[in-house]
Amino acid sequence: MNGQEQNQRGHWGSKIAFIFAATGSAIGLGNIWRFPMVVGKYGGAVFVFVYILAVVLIGFTVMLAEMIIGRHTQRNAIGAFEHIKPRKPWKIIGFLGLLTSICILSYYSVIAGWAAGYFVKTASGTFRGAITSQMSDQIYTNFVSNPLLALICFFVVIGITTLIISKGVQSGIERWTKILMPVLFILIIYLAIKALTLPGASEGLSFYLKPDFSKLNGTVVLFAFGQAFFSLSIGMGIMITYGSYIHKSDNLVTSAGWVSFADTLIAFLAGLIIFPTLFAIPGIAPTAGPGLVFKVFPLIFSKIPNGHFFGMLFFTLLLVAAITSTISLLEVSVAYFIDERSWSRKKAAFLLGGFAFLLGIPSALSSGGMKFFTDIDFMGKFDIIFANISLAVGALLICIFVGWIWGIKKPVEEVRSGNPRFRIRPLWVFSLKFLSPVVLIIILIFIKKIITG
Ligand code: TRP
């Protein structure tokens, strides 16, 4: 890469801008839609317990490793591996990440489209007045099984993402996240308080927070780890790409720590809204799957003053949170084609965005929209293959690469350039070289057994 291209990449305006962008990537549907869905499906509190362990012990380790690779090499997720170990197969990790990011983008945007659709529904008064859980269930089913509607909403999300990415990192990403993330945070706290004070909320609270360890098994562990990687946006090179825009003087440890913490907090709060509401207003099962959040949130809005307004605000912010994540998913491959293939940013954004749209069509139609042809659950299959398996493989390879192949000296130096003391170094190195790889290998060995039950 020559100097001019280097300048074209741009840097984050400040450390705080980077943290906002990385947090914006991490916080999204993974926290508010996917987290409650998997908690409900895989055993409640025991899942939450394993999830937190996964974030603290392994997620943080991998996130820091990715940021180190990115900042050290100043490259995209593929160029970075080539730069550290030229002409060796390690850049496959980057290609795996590229494939994974586009595939996740394809179905993720379908769900983001549902958030857009729900905004319009709320604005047009569908949820005004008292809503029962049966009504909410019916509204959801009618909405997602309408093929045209699902495709239009999906198209809108991919379109917005492509436009933002085609305009570039600085102007595109920073502006959105800085203002809207804090508003989302305040809204979620407010809704959690409201949900917790509903009569009958305590049963939901104990489902969510009182672990029943007899429910612990391989499936719980696999999905808890998959969810941790998905939610933190790690295992596929996003944080490499974003890390390549961080200044040398910034502290990577506190950055990775802050992003992991903020992400986990939002997911935790989302659960505090969903489960108390779910048990206080019975009729929807915790195992409802992808529709869980869309069925339950209207219920809480129907129970609070000015619920109509809060509903519109919530779905708007959910959409924004989703879009700050979709842009990160698209940026991985766009950065690659700009750096390594000399494509223009516009060309890369439109071609890859278009590709993700085509790829996502079966997912957009798999919630009932094409029931006349097939009932294969494309979205569910994509989600298992890419969010659970592929991210775990990516995370494992990143640990091996940074911990064993690159040699631990360079990564440690990289951290020290912005954090001379690097006090958690022994813990991080232990997790990177031993703990994380062992845990991930065990999970991957058992994957087939776990999935086939
Ligand atoms: N973490 C995002 C969320 O929780 C989704 C996401 C964005 C992601 N970039 C990613 C997931 C990279 C895995 C890998 O909504």
Side-chain angles (χ1 to χ4, degrees):
M1 191 195 313
N2 62 34
Q4 198 194 347
E5 277 171 84
Q6 178 95 30
N7 290 340
Q8 265 192 1
R9 311 193 51 140
H11 275 81
W12 303 106
S14 61
K15 176 177 172 194
I16 206 78
F18 163 75
I19 288 186
F20 268 113
T23 316
S25 162
I27 294 175
L29 297 172
N31 309 61
I32 296 166
W33 162 73
R34 201 173 185 279
F35 180 72
M37 166 175 102
V38 281
V39 171
K41 226 165 147 182
Y42 302 109
V46 71
F47 183 98
V48 178
F49 177 79
V50 180
Y51 176 79
I52 290 175
L53 284 184
V55 170
V56 174
L57 297 179
I58 294 174
F60 169 81
T61 305
V62 179
M63 184 179 293
L64 181 56
E66 284 195 25
M67 288 181 182
I68 291 172
I69 300 177
R71 191 177 67 178
H72 182 81
T73 59
Q74 300 278 305
R75 306 227 164 157
N76 61 80
I78 293 170
F81 291 99
E82 186 62 17
H83 180 80
I84 296 176
K85 289 281 164 205
R87 289 177 299 282
K88 291 269 161 44
W90 290 102
K91 60 172 181 281
I92 287 177
I93 307 176
F95 281 112
L96 179 71
L98 222 94
L99 177 76
T100 310
S101 63
I102 291 287
C103 292
I104 292 183
L105 175 65
S106 75
Y107 71 86
Y108 191 96
S109 305
V110 172
I111 311 285
W114 295 356
Y118 261 66
F119 167 76
V120 176
K121 264 189 187 308
T122 316
S124 65
T126 310
F127 301 115
R128 255 186 209 283
I131 302 279
T132 64
S133 33
Q134 285 76 7
M135 282 158 76
S136 187
D137 195 279
Q138 198 56 47
I139 291 170
Y140 168 80
T141 310
N142 291 344
F143 173 67
V144 296
S145 60
N146 179 334
L148 191 63
L149 215 53
L151 284 176
I152 293 174
C153 293
F154 171 42
F155 182 77
V156 168
V157 171
I158 290 270
I160 296 174
T161 307
T162 306
L163 283 177
I164 296 175
I165 282 292
S166 70
K167 294 200 150 94
V169 164
Q170 297 268 356
S171 56
I173 304 171
E174 279 182 27
R175 207 185 311 149
W176 284 91
T177 34
K178 262 192 219 160
I179 314 163
L180 292 166
M181 284 290 140
V183 183
L184 176 68
F185 182 66
I186 294 166
L187 177 66
I188 284 188
I189 295 208
Y190 174 74
L191 292 176
I193 294 171
K194 286 292 176 189
L196 286 169
T197 49
L198 287 175
S202 60
E203 205 188 324
L205 202 59
S206 72
F207 172 83
Y208 184 45
L209 296 179
K210 230 165 110 206
D212 169 2
F213 284 98
S214 68
K215 289 192 189 150
L216 183 63
N217 57 34
T219 316
V220 170
V221 176
L222 171 73
F223 283 91
F225 273 76
Q227 173 60 22
F229 298 149
F230 186 92
S231 190
L232 295 171
S233 299
I234 54 177
M236 46 155 282
I238 288 258
M239 294 296 163
I240 297 182
T241 307
Y242 274 27
S244 72
Y245 305 114
I246 322 181
H247 290 286
K248 286 285 178 198
S249 55
D250 289 336
N251 184 339
L252 294 178
V253 176
T254 50
S255 300
W258 167 254
V259 175
S260 310
F261 171 75
D263 185 67
T264 308
L265 182 63
I266 297 280
F268 182 76
L269 290 171
L272 278 187
I273 302 171
I274 292 284
F275 294 105
T277 309
L278 190 73
F279 282 82
I281 310 171
I284 292 165
T287 48
L292 181 66
V293 165
F294 292 94
K295 292 174 188 173
V296 174
F297 268 97
L299 298 177
I300 176 119
F301 297 134
S302 79
K303 288 274 186 242
I304 60 178
N306 301 316
H308 180 67
F309 164 77
F310 284 111
M312 290 192 323
L313 184 63
F314 173 76
F315 286 114
T316 309
L317 294 173
L318 184 61
L319 180 62
V320 171
I323 286 180
T324 55
S325 302
T326 55
I327 54 187
S328 78
L329 286 162
L330 187 55
E331 176 67 16
V332 182
S333 38
V334 166
Y336 166 72
F337 282 98
I338 295 175
D339 289 356
E340 312 286 325
R341 301 279 151 129
S342 313
W343 288 14
S344 72
R345 182 165 268 281
K346 258 214 169 69
K347 175 177 166 190
F350 279 93
L351 284 180
L352 293 162
F355 179 65
F357 178 73
L358 294 179
L359 197 63
I361 290 175
S363 294
L365 300 179
S366 74
S367 300
M370 58 181 171
K371 54 183 173 293
F372 301 112
F373 307 114
T374 165
D375 9 276
I376 298 176
D377 175 16
F378 283 98
M379 189 186 284
K381 298 241 177 323
F382 261 55
D383 192 47
I384 288 194
I385 297 171
F386 295 103
N388 289 295
I389 304 177
S390 188
L391 293 180
V393 172
L396 171 64
L397 294 175
I398 286 167
C399 290
I400 295 178
F401 180 79
V402 176
W404 296 95
I405 306 297
W406 189 8
I408 204 70
K409 218 177 115 226
K410 283 273 171 52
V412 168
E413 265 168 27
E414 186 60 43
V415 173
R416 289 211 159 118
S417 92
N419 175 1
R421 298 188 34 213
F422 192 11
R423 266 195 285 178
I424 60 159
R425 186 185 59 103
L427 289 175
W428 179 70
V429 172
F430 173 74
S431 173
L432 183 75
K433 291 183 77 159
F434 304 103
L435 182 66
S436 306
V438 169
V439 172
L440 288 168
I441 287 171
I442 294 175
I443 290 179
L444 289 169
I445 289 177
F446 287 106
I447 233 163
K448 186 151 173 269
K449 218 167 117 205
I450 292 169
I451 287 174
T452 52

